[in-house]
Amino acid sequence: MASDAPFRTIIEPFRIHSVEPLRLTTPEQRRAALDGVGYNLFSIHAQDVLIDLLTDSGTGAMSRDQWAAIQHGDESYAGSPSWFVFRDAVQHLFPFRHVIPTHQGRAAERILFEVVGGPGQVVPNNTHFDTTRANVEATGAEALDLLIPEGRDPSADHPFKGNLDVGALERLLTDRASDVPLVMVTVTNNSGGGQPVSLANLREVRAVCDAFGKPLFLDACRFAENAWFIREREPGQSGRDVIDIVRDMAGLADGMTMSAKKDPMGNIGGWLAMNDDALAEQARNLLILTEGFPTYGGLAGRDLEALAQGLREVVDHDYLRYRIRSTAYLGDALVARGVPVVTPIGGHAVYLDARALLPHIDPLRYPGQSLAVALYEVGGVRGCEIGTVMFGRRPDGVEAPAAMDLVRLAIPRRTYTQSHIDYVIEVCERVAARAGELPGYRITDQPAALRHFTARFEPLT
Ligand SMILES: Cc1ncc(COP(=O)(O)O)c(C=O)c1O
């Protein structure tokens, strides 16, 4: 009699409906491309990349039903039916009173911090993402990371390494309550390894916020992946519907920022949501100034429709099981081959520990940059340095090593197959085998803020 036990192989819960060709390049072509752009992978032409793991942001494949939803897009300037479809889909998961659409996450951040930020203010978070930090700092405020110590240790074993350090938050608020306009928690913690935050931690953060009368905002780009980890790992949560866990997360917060290019499965989009009427009014006024009328933000009606459908799809358990398992497939294979990675494996990406793999390169010589360049040169795989290039320059211009030097291999949703990932594993293995030969880098040119996007580098020979 055949067994009904589940199979080990977690298959993609979809089949391919439309394909995009990939372009193969030679190592010589890739070396020339690197040289031509000052070794900055953001400046490489995407058609010169074979497997693009630079980001999971807006790079996923939309479903048949999302493309169909696009046909329902209504482009009325004000009060479009597509707006109400979008708003209802957001509020189904995140029942905040006000939903303010934006063209992407950083627009929501800019509006929020323009209203609540400013010189002398300090905004705590588990770890600010680069655009969040930059938008806080652009107002003259301080962006403070208060991650639990385990979250800063690439190999520490903890089920919720994205948790915020509640004791540190309490100390901050005891000392400087009047300087803190709100508390943020990023789910999952992108800059800290894609690690989840537990419901218990959110409850503790909420209690501290209540004690000091502070609002709590979620940076909720990867809310569904976070909820799946809660279901898998948090005592008492297994067997629950992810939708209910997401609503619990939202219920502990007063508002949120969102990049809809992640879990909402869009190629563009975002929103800012909140319960506070006065804050919402100020935010809408700023929205009208630069993004658009409050029923479309910076988005077309067709984008709003695609996002509403994406929000329905991302909370599907079969999808989330596949998503988290397929990311772990890459991470587990690298661990088995002795390549140092952040563990446990996060939700949307595998983070290579460049500082551990390249101990001969001082953090101020950018080991993450060196590793990311080598992955591209050897196999046409594009990852993203998340380390001293991204975070090492303070607002006063002084350079200091970031907490970790990582290379993020972010996996676009529903886009690459297992054989693509098997190829990535082989490329990482080959680069790791000659890690001792990789050079450090020096920056030859850089902008004042968000330097990783446009800085130019030179290998140190
Ligand atoms: C945690 C987090 N917050 C904010 C953002 C910014 O979103 P966007 O790129 O849509 O501006 C990102 C994007 O990668 C992110 O990962």
Side-chain angles (χ1 to χ4, degrees):
M1 200 62 172
S3 163
D4 286 340
F7 287 100
R8 263 193 326 277
T9 309
I10 308 290
I11 62 163
E12 289 86 354
F14 49 82
R15 58 186 179 188
I16 294 166
H17 167 68
S18 166
V19 298
E20 271 181 80
L22 288 175
R23 185 166 158 268
L24 296 165
T25 51
T26 64
E28 290 69 38
Q29 286 170 323
R30 295 194 288 270
R31 273 192 280 276
L34 282 167
D35 194 48
V37 297
Y39 297 86
N40 189 324
L41 295 171
F42 284 95
S43 303
I44 296 279
H45 291 197
Q47 63 173 16
D48 294 335
V49 177
L50 185 58
I51 309 286
D52 205 347
L53 308 183
L54 183 70
T55 175
D56 64 322
S57 181
T59 53
M62 290 213 297
S63 67
R64 172 196 64 190
D65 293 340
Q66 284 181 287
W67 287 109
I70 278 178
Q71 292 298 329
H72 290 271
D74 178 300
E75 305 305 339
S76 303
Y77 186 92
S80 154
S82 300
W83 151 249
F84 295 105
V85 169
F86 169 80
R87 186 202 59 186
D88 292 352
V90 171
Q91 287 180 333
H92 180 65
L93 294 171
F94 303 99
F96 295 118
R97 225 176 3 257
H98 303 279
V99 177
I100 299 175
T102 60
H103 80 276
Q104 62 182 94
R106 67 197 69 185
E109 293 163 358
R110 187 189 59 77
I111 291 170
L112 178 63
F113 294 117
E114 207 166 313
V115 178
V116 305
Q121 302 287 86
V122 53
V123 180
N125 200 332
N126 46 355
T127 311
H128 287 274
F129 184 65
D130 60 354
T131 60
T132 324
R133 170 171 290 280
N135 275 298
V136 169
E137 290 174 351
T139 71
E142 183 190 345
L144 188 64
D145 293 341
L146 298 179
L147 188 61
I148 56 166
E150 292 89 336
R152 297 176 203 277
D153 175 352
S155 55
D157 193 22
H158 188 291
F160 293 100
K161 281 172 88 171
N163 282 356
L164 188 137
D165 184 337
V166 179
L169 178 66
E170 216 160 2
R171 286 191 291 281
L172 172 74
L173 286 167
T174 304
D175 293 347
R176 302 182 57 185
S178 60
D179 298 336
V180 178
L182 55 81
V183 175
M184 281 201 101
V185 178
T186 304
V187 295
T188 57
N189 186 21
N190 184 7
S191 305
Q195 300 290 325
V197 175
S198 67
L199 266 183
N201 186 251
L202 286 175
R203 281 196 199 102
E204 284 174 6
V205 173
R206 173 81 258 168
V208 174
C209 287
D210 284 345
F212 289 88
K214 298 295 169 190
L216 171 60
F217 271 63
L218 299 177
D219 176 344
C221 303
R222 300 178 181 84
F223 68 94
E225 293 171 6
N226 198 90
W228 184 258
F229 279 121
I230 287 174
R231 188 179 188 273
E232 295 266 283
R233 296 181 183 171
E234 191 158 348
Q237 300 300 320
S238 69
R240 292 190 71 202
D241 191 327
V242 158
I243 294 180
D244 293 329
I245 298 175
V246 172
R247 286 192 189 130
D248 283 356
M249 290 160 59
L252 290 165
D254 300 288
M256 66 189 294
T257 57
M258 172 61 92
S259 168
K261 302 169 74 173
K262 282 80 170 180
D263 273 353
M265 307 268 204
N267 298 129
I268 197 69
W271 69 83
L272 174 62
M274 62 199 64
N275 287 326
D276 185 308
D277 298 337
L279 182 59
E281 190 183 333
Q282 284 175 282
R284 282 204 184 94
N285 289 339
L286 286 173
L287 182 87
I288 292 172
L289 198 63
T290 57
E291 289 278 306
F293 191 71
T295 62
Y296 73 87
L299 297 170
R302 53 181 169 269
D303 299 326
L304 296 169
E305 294 275 358
L307 293 176
Q309 178 59 26
L311 284 173
R312 290 189 270 278
E313 293 174 11
V314 76
V315 288
D316 177 74
H317 287 195
D318 289 339
Y319 162 74
L320 283 168
R321 188 176 293 110
Y322 141 79
R323 170 73 173 157
I324 300 301
R325 181 67 200 104
S326 58
T327 303
Y329 174 83
L330 170 58
D332 292 347
L334 295 177
V335 170
R337 287 159 179 76
V339 179
V341 299
V342 174
T343 51
I345 306 303
H348 66 295
V350 173
Y351 293 68
L352 307 179
D353 184 351
R355 200 175 283 176
L357 186 63
L358 310 176
H360 61 289
I361 302 180
D362 186 272
L364 295 178
R365 296 299 182 208
Y366 314 127
Q369 184 65 19
S370 178
L371 180 57
V373 166
L375 293 172
Y376 175 72
E377 182 188 330
V378 170
V381 174
R382 176 157 70 167
C384 181
E385 193 263 11
I386 300 212
T388 304
V389 174
M390 191 178 271
F391 294 117
R393 194 166 60 156
R394 304 280 149 84
D396 62 7
V398 173
E399 281 257 346
M404 298 185 264
D405 278 295
L406 307 175
V407 174
R408 185 187 66 182
L409 303 178
I411 312 203
R413 292 167 183 76
R414 308 186 292 203
T415 302
Y416 291 114
T417 65
Q418 188 168 324
S419 63
H420 291 122
I421 298 300
D422 285 335
Y423 171 83
V424 172
I425 294 165
E426 219 182 319
V427 172
C428 290
E429 202 177 3
R430 193 175 292 186
V431 169
R434 47 167 279 234
E437 299 162 25
L438 300 187
Y441 281 77
R442 138 185 129 75
I443 294 181
T444 57
D445 190 27
Q446 59 184 313
L450 294 173
R451 66 176 179 181
H452 51 289
F453 289 128
T454 53
R456 292 179 72 89
F457 301 84
E458 202 172 72
L460 295 163
T461 44

